[in-house]
Amino acid sequence: MTISSITTSKGDLRYAKCCSGPRILIMLPGVSISSVLDSAAAVETAYQSFDGKYTIYLFEYPREYPDGEDITYIADILAEAIHRLELKNCYLLGASFGGMVGQVLLAEHPEHFVSAVLASTIAHLTEVSPKTISRWNTIAANKDVRTLNLAFYDAVYSDEYQIKFAEPIRKVLDNGNEKDCLIMAIHTEMMLRADLRAYDKKIKTPTFVVGATNDRVFSIEDVSEVADLIGCKSFFYEGSSHAVFDEEPDFKQRVLEHYDTSADF
């Protein structure tokens, strides 16, 4: 695994490159308190089944933003980075916030992608969804790292997962700083303001939406709407959490099967 950066017109963008294969997989993570690149080694381990077929690019989102920017700002930077890296015929895996960024990428920059999976994501928040994002946004704005981590793990993971991994979770509750909270506040504000429904109607890339019935971040209705707007297939894990991508043993196999059956070039 290597960590590198690529220069774009809006600044440098860092990414981790792991696994090795002829296909390019662009991985877009959800919001997090600390950099996703801190978890890059764990991602490489978790996605060993992709090795030999896929080279994975795990992108970190920008650390600086002009005032008032939205999700399209991130999508444009990523599209430029993908172009500068000369990555072609890419596969996309976007989780949560990354799925929202992915929707804009697929709609506005479809030339880069041949297949996509969007997990536990939405086009816009409705009153049906829990108030999780609003809560994270408030805590992040108050720069309360420990409370933010507690709220994050409680909403994203199932009770069973939190019990099973209680000790590792306890060790990272103080990870993060004021800058990390600021970035989290910006990203959650983007989520609160987002309305991607018009983008979804433009998506033609073969897409698979995955969610869970016990998601404490987004309602099943809001996640289902993404599939309905795109007109693509979907699957929902009964009784599972927001983090289906971490908790469900067969999630990665479902991703691989979608990629194999939807992209032929």
Side-chain angles (χ1 to χ4, degrees), residues 6 24 57 79-90 112:
I6 183 72
I24 301 299
Y57 286 76
E80 184 179 347
I82 291 168
H83 175 73
R84 288 178 180 265
L85 288 167
E86 298 184 349
L87 305 179
K88 303 181 186 301
N89 297 319
C90 300
H112 296 305

Side-chain angles (χ1 to χ4, degrees), residues 95-253:
S96 194
F97 180 67
M100 299 177 78
V101 176
Q103 289 167 60
V104 179
L105 273 172
L106 293 170
E108 296 298 292
H109 306 280
E111 68 278 6
H112 296 305
F113 303 100
V114 295
S115 187
V117 174
L118 305 175
S120 299
T121 195
I122 57 167
H124 73 131
L125 276 170
T126 69
E127 291 300 316
V128 178
S129 275
K131 306 303 179 186
T132 303
I133 304 303
S134 295
R135 183 165 183 246
W136 289 352
N137 180 260
T138 299
I139 299 169
N142 290 333
K143 302 173 184 177
D144 187 342
V145 171
R146 188 175 183 83
T147 301
L148 184 56
N149 274 307
L150 283 166
F152 178 84
Y153 281 102
D154 184 60
V156 170
Y157 293 101
S158 66
D159 294 341
E160 293 78 11
Y161 186 94
Q162 292 180 65
I163 292 170
K164 182 178 180 180
F165 295 99
E167 185 59 22
I169 290 173
R170 184 189 65 79
K171 290 180 178 179
V172 300
L173 289 179
D174 292 315
N175 285 6
N177 54 42
E178 288 192 0
K179 176 66 173 180
D180 295 324
C181 286
L182 173 62
I183 298 301
M184 182 75 152
I186 291 171
H187 288 164
T188 50
E189 181 65 29
M190 288 180 176
M191 296 169 81
L192 291 169
R193 291 190 285 110
D195 187 345
L196 309 178
R197 288 175 288 183
Y199 292 103
D200 284 349
K201 293 177 182 178
K202 295 169 62 176
I203 293 173
K204 303 301 181 186
T205 302
T207 302
F208 180 33
V209 172
V210 182
T213 60
N214 282 2
D215 191 331
R216 291 186 284 217
V217 180
F218 302 137
S219 71
I220 188 173
E221 292 87 353
D222 285 356
V223 178
S224 295
E225 182 187 41
V226 176
D228 292 341
L229 289 166
I230 297 173
C232 69
K233 64 179 180 177
S234 62
F235 177 81
F236 290 85
Y237 286 95
E238 187 67 33
S240 194
S241 71
H242 183 75
V244 292
F245 32 83
D246 289 337
E247 294 199 37
E248 292 300 331
D250 69 341
F251 172 80
K252 297 172 186 65
Q253 185 57 40

